[in-house]
């Protein structure tokens, strides 16, 4: 198979070379009548200039490490749901990516957005890295200066729907070193309201000096907001490569935080 699905004896039979026109994951088994199918063999083919991480049509099993309640919900990456009111989660792409210059695009939806929210994060603390719940958003402490857990050697951009310590209930911000993703913060403008329940697209570009994020409401496409931060990401994470992914947190109230699609391309 060439679309990330697990092959079966009913899958396409290839008797020769396979043309790989774009970065993709190939999976294969050997079958023979009267015998059990072989184990699945997997190979990821990455073509220069194409996304290093490519879930443009939704997520498929494999290549992501989940922590806490994070899981796949169909083709969505679900960080938190509405079955619990306390906790934190994280999900990381298994292979470190270059963070010197990059573009990443993801769409996300916050359903029943009461508290608290999620982050897009890059870190070198490892695949089991996870921060605190509540205002910690699965990235850092619940309050500024609060106790661990936190994710060191990292940066995070937040999408926050609850006012914990004055950050507002519809805010974003850039945080480094596992700091509490509460304050300082910037309120979303341009009609972008994370409480709408709509699907939003986030377009993030890092040029080596400035991280620029544009968030657009896919239901009301004129509602868009752009924010930039000066940051040295390789210095913050301690290397030119790091793990990329998402974190989420709830505390007292709930929100279902889901990533619908995601791509990451090294510039």
């Amino acid at each position: 198979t060439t679309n990330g699905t697990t092959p079966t004896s009913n899958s396409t039979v290839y008797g020769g070379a396979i043309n790989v026109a774009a970065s993709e994951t190939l999976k294969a088994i050997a079958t023979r009548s009267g015998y059990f199918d072989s184990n699945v063999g997997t190979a990821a083919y990455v073509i220069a200039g194409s996304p290093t991480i490519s879930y443009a049509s939704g997520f498929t099993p494999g290549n992501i490490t989940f922590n806490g309640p994070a899981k796949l919900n169909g083709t969505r990456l679900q960080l938190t749901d509405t079955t619990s009111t306390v906790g934190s989660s994280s999900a990381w792409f298994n292979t470190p990516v270059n963070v010197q210059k990059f573009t990443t695009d993801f769409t996300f939806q916050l359903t029943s957005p009461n508290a608290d929210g999620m982050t897009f994060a890059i870190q070198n603390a490892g695949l089991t890295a996870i921060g605190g719940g509540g205002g910690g958003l699965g990235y850092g402490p619940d309050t500024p200066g609060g106790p661990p857990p936190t994710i060191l050697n990292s940066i995070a951009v937040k999408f926050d729907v609850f006012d914990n310590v004055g950050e507002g209930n519809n805010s974003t911000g850039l945080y480094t070193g596992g700091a509490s993703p509460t304050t300082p913060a910037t309120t979303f403008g341009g009609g972008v309201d994370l409480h709408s329940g709509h699907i939003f697209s986030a377009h993030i570009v890092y040029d080596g000096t400035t991280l620029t994020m544009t968030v657009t409401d896919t239901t009301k496409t004129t509602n868009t907001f752009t924010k930039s931060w000066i940051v040295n990401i390789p210095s913050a994470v301690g290397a030119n490569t790091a793990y990329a992914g998402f974190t989420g947190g709830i505390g007292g109230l709930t929100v279902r935080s889901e990533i619908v699609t995601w791509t990451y391309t090294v510039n």
Side-chain angles (χ1 to χ4, degrees), residues 63-68 70 89-97 123-131 151-152 242-247 262:
N63 298 324
I64 293 181
T65 296
F66 301 102
N67 300 295
S89 64
S90 62
W92 309 108
F93 190 69
N94 286 343
T95 304
V97 294
Q123 52 85 14
N124 261 326
L127 289 173
T128 60
I130 188 171
I151 302 177
L152 302 176
Y243 296 103
F246 302 88
T247 72
W262 180 30

Side-chain angles (χ1 to χ4, degrees), residues 142-240:
D142 180 52
T143 57
T150 188
I151 302 177
L152 302 176
N153 301 320
S154 65
I155 68 106
V157 177
K158 76 166 182 176
F159 304 85
D160 192 345
V161 297
F162 188 77
D163 187 352
N164 287 277
V165 293
E167 69 269 36
N169 65 356
N170 186 45
S171 68
T172 188
L174 175 71
Y175 306 88
T176 63
S180 175
T182 48
T183 57
T186 299
T187 299
F188 278 105
V192 172
D193 181 5
L194 299 182
H195 290 265
S196 67
H198 297 167
I199 294 177
F200 294 90
S201 67
H203 176 67
I204 298 176
V205 178
Y206 182 58
D207 64 5
T209 302
T210 304
L211 186 77
T212 301
M213 176 185 73
T214 299
V215 176
T216 303
D217 186 329
T218 63
T219 300
K220 299 180 178 180
T221 55
T222 56
N223 293 0
T224 186
F225 175 79
T226 298
K227 175 67 177 176
S228 295
W229 299 273
I230 303 297
V231 62
N232 187 329
I233 294 180
S235 178
V237 303
N240 290 334

Side-chain angles (χ1 to χ4, degrees), residues 1-2 14 16-24 26 45 47:
T1 60
T2 60
Y14 290 91
I18 300 173
N19 179 44
V20 179
S23 294
E24 61 189 38
L26 302 185
Y45 285 79
I47 297 176

